[in-house]
Amino acid sequence: MMMAFSGVAVAEKTTVIHISAVSVVQDTILPQLSLAAQQARAAELIKQAEARMMQEIGHNALLLSQATMKVYLDNEFATMWHDKVAEKAFLKEYALFAASGVSSKSAKALQQILNQPEGLAKDILLTDGFLDYLYYNKNVFKYANNWLYNLGSYTPKAPSSEQITQWTNAVKMGVAGEFVTNLVPQNHLYRDTAQRVLATAGEVVNNAFYKLALNVQRLRIIPSFDNGIFVNIPSYQLYYFRDGVLSLQSKVIVGRVDRKTPVMYSKLSNVVVNPPWNVPSGILAKDIIPKLARDPAYAERASFEILDSSGNQIDPHSVNWSEYVNAKNVPYRIRQKAGDDSALGRYKFNMPTTDAIFLHDTPNRGLFGRKHRTLSSGCVRVEKADELATILLQEAGWGLDKKNRVLGSKKTTSAQIYSDNPVYLYYVTAWVENGKVHTLSDIYNFDVNIPQFSISWEKLKSLI
């Protein structure tokens, strides 16, 4: 029988807890006690272990004291970082994370490690920092929009118990180095940019350095460019890769500053030929209803259909649209008919998303001639939509004849895409490729006031 108290397992067997560097307490009393007494005894053992750990680290502060203590309690205060390959790999990644400005607490934790001489105290600090990094590593993909584009929102937390156990098992099996290196992204842009940051750290630590360091973390969430659609939002470019080969590059139009295209990942589900446009509620409230309030005939000129809650078509002149300007709820939905002048153009590329974001064609071709193309309400307009559709429809079994026949019919037709086509909308403003640093304008002001933390780079380089 086993019971858990404050994260520590209490078993009906002899319990071994190290209390000092030279003594070990063999607890043979615990199994003989009542439940209440066992709880009290377990709490006392935890208190003693915590005192031991605090004594070891001295004035240093831990980010995750409870999780770190449990690691050493479960492993009888054995050192966890005797594998120097693992330690070096971790310190490289943690330094890159600290330099990014994402977490001031993590930067301080790194500096504590660098200041600490070899011994159990340093081992404890390494473990504390690694648990912070492991949590970040396992969750950054999910929380990227906050952590990497709203600096200061990251809070260190303990990884799941399963993730911690996987690491401690790797340590026991002598494969900690492999475990840590497997956490490093394979994306070549990440690796090249990270290498440049570490190489120049301590030499020229200026705004450009910190911008590059921040973008290393943004590159972390992008996989290798093997298959799928990749849109780097501030570059206004789309890249379509198939089997590692760039099959198509196209200009795009992205969201305005007040209606940003989000950083996101999804998978292409289908291509709609001759798509109608169901006007999203946000655009309906902000753009369409004010125009209808001024002139209901706008609906006819724009090929809009007004539908009530039952799907019945309503005469736009029969509605007092002024009542719904600034209204939270509108009892109508508006759909634009498919056609050459449809806001979605001839193609819509659907992907599951909670933000109603997708890729599509546009009839306003002249806008692609502009240098700065933050012009949409959040969705991504693709200049070479016809070429992209041709490639994807061929993968769905459509020939050119069928595509052209459906286009000419003006009928809305959907084709399921069964091939693996992930879609990555990302935001990277600085990176290294083929030895050269590339930079882009920060169109959404995500790079403003990047925190700059003090790190002993020379000391770090001596350790890695």
Side-chain angles (χ1 to χ4, degrees), residues 110-313:
L110 172 65
Q111 190 57 50
Q112 286 185 156
I113 295 170
L114 299 179
N115 292 340
Q116 192 68 34
E118 294 297 325
L120 182 56
K122 182 178 180 180
D123 198 89
I124 293 171
L125 294 177
L126 281 165
T127 294
D128 184 62
F130 181 72
L131 295 183
D132 171 36
Y133 167 69
L134 186 59
Y135 169 76
Y136 170 76
N137 182 282
K138 296 297 185 180
N139 291 279
V140 64
F141 195 89
K142 180 179 180 181
Y143 298 113
N145 269 307
N146 283 330
W147 294 352
L148 305 183
Y149 302 97
N150 181 21
L151 297 181
S153 62
Y154 172 80
T155 300
K157 293 182 180 179
S160 69
S161 57
E162 180 183 0
Q163 290 163 354
I164 295 174
T165 299
Q166 289 171 350
W167 168 60
T168 56
N169 285 343
V171 172
K172 294 172 184 176
M173 295 170 61
V175 291
E178 182 179 345
F179 182 91
V180 177
T181 54
N182 283 341
L183 298 174
V184 181
Q186 298 302 308
N187 173 358
H188 72 281
L189 295 184
Y190 173 89
R191 290 176 174 262
D192 291 351
T193 308
Q195 184 177 0
R196 177 64 64 91
V197 168
L198 291 174
T200 57
E203 298 174 7
V204 182
V205 182
N206 52 20
N207 290 338
F209 169 83
Y210 286 106
K211 178 171 180 171
L212 197 62
L214 173 58
N215 279 280
V216 169
Q217 299 309 311
R218 293 172 179 169
L219 287 165
R220 174 182 288 278
I221 63 175
I222 307 170
S224 297
F225 295 86
D226 292 327
N227 287 297
I229 297 170
F230 296 79
V231 176
N232 188 11
I233 296 166
S235 75
Y236 309 115
Q237 294 288 328
L238 173 149
Y239 306 89
Y240 179 70
F241 285 88
R242 177 55 69 202
D243 298 324
V245 177
L246 179 62
S247 299
L248 178 70
Q249 180 175 347
S250 174
K251 292 180 180 179
V252 297
I253 290 169
V254 299
R256 307 197 305 252
V257 173
D258 60 332
R259 300 183 190 180
K260 298 177 179 65
T261 297
V263 172
M264 59 171 285
Y265 158 77
S266 188
K267 279 196 173 185
L268 197 68
S269 56
N270 61 71
V271 176
V272 182
V273 183
N274 300 319
W277 180 40
N278 293 299
V279 181
S281 58
I283 297 176
L284 179 64
K286 295 177 182 178
D287 300 337
I288 306 301
I289 287 181
K291 291 180 180 179
L292 291 172
R294 290 192 296 269
D295 180 13
Y298 167 71
E300 298 168 14
R301 294 195 302 273
S303 299
F304 283 138
E305 297 175 324
I306 315 299
L307 306 173
D308 64 16
S309 58
S310 299
N312 300 312
Q313 192 164 338

Side-chain angles (χ1 to χ4, degrees), residues 299-414:
E300 298 168 14
R301 294 195 302 273
S303 299
F304 283 138
E305 297 175 324
I306 315 299
L307 306 173
D308 64 16
S309 58
S310 299
N312 300 312
Q313 192 164 338
I314 303 297
D315 182 351
H317 295 274
S318 68
V319 178
N320 182 5
W321 294 105
S322 298
E323 291 183 11
Y324 302 110
V325 174
N326 299 322
K328 291 184 178 180
N329 297 306
V330 179
Y332 305 102
R333 61 187 180 91
I334 296 181
R335 179 176 63 199
Q336 188 178 42
K337 299 176 184 178
D340 294 337
D341 296 326
S342 166
L344 303 187
R346 297 177 297 171
Y347 306 102
K348 179 185 179 186
F349 306 91
N350 278 324
M351 52 189 179
T353 167
T354 57
D355 299 315
I357 298 296
F358 49 85
L359 283 64
H360 64 88
D361 187 20
T362 177
N364 300 316
R365 316 298 299 173
L367 296 178
F368 291 107
R370 297 188 184 184
K371 180 179 180 181
H372 302 290
R373 296 191 292 277
T374 47
L375 304 169
S376 81
S377 292
C379 288
V380 178
R381 305 176 195 171
V382 183
E383 182 182 37
K384 296 181 180 178
D386 183 70
E387 294 177 45
L388 180 60
T390 299
I391 295 172
L392 295 171
L393 290 171
Q394 284 178 342
E395 293 181 4
W398 286 37
L400 284 176
D401 288 344
K402 181 175 182 178
K403 187 197 78 168
N404 292 331
R405 188 167 61 252
V406 172
L407 277 173
S409 73
K410 305 297 182 182
K411 292 182 179 179
T412 299
T413 307
S414 177

Side-chain angles (χ1 to χ4, degrees), residues 63 90-99 104-116 125-126 129 132 454-457 459-460 463:
L63 296 174
F90 160 59
L91 285 175
K92 284 182 181 180
E93 292 301 303
Y94 205 41
L96 290 166
F97 176 43
S104 61
K105 292 181 179 179
S106 303
K108 291 177 182 177
L110 172 65
Q111 190 57 50
Q112 286 185 156
I113 295 170
L114 299 179
N115 292 340
Q116 192 68 34
L125 294 177
L126 281 165
D132 171 36
S454 178
I455 298 170
S456 299
W457 290 109
K459 177 63 175 178
L460 174 75
L463 295 175

